[in-house]
Amino acid sequence: MLFIIYYIVAIVVLVLHFTGLLARYNLEWLVLVLAVTVFPAVIYL
C-alpha cells in the first residue's frame, strides 16, 4: 500500500516538474527529495 502511495506522489511531482509549476512556486527541491528517497525504496524491495 505504501509503495502505491509513493508512486502516486512520485508521478504527481514529476508531472508538476515538467509542467513548470514547481519552479513557479520555488518547490524544485521536491524533485531532489524524491530522488533521494528512491534508493531506500529500491533497497527495501
Side-chain angles (χ1 to χ4, degrees):
M1 183 69 183
L2 290 177
F3 287 115
I4 295 171
I5 295 171
Y6 177 79
Y7 283 119
I8 290 172
V9 170
I11 291 169
V12 168
V13 168
L14 287 176
V15 168
L16 292 176
H17 169 70
F18 286 117
T19 57
L21 289 175
L22 292 182
R24 184 179 303 155
Y25 296 111
N26 200 17
L27 294 173
E28 283 292 323
W29 56 270
L30 285 175
V31 177
L32 297 175
V33 170
L34 183 67
V36 169
T37 59
V38 166
F39 294 108
V42 170
I43 291 172
Y44 180 74
L45 286 175

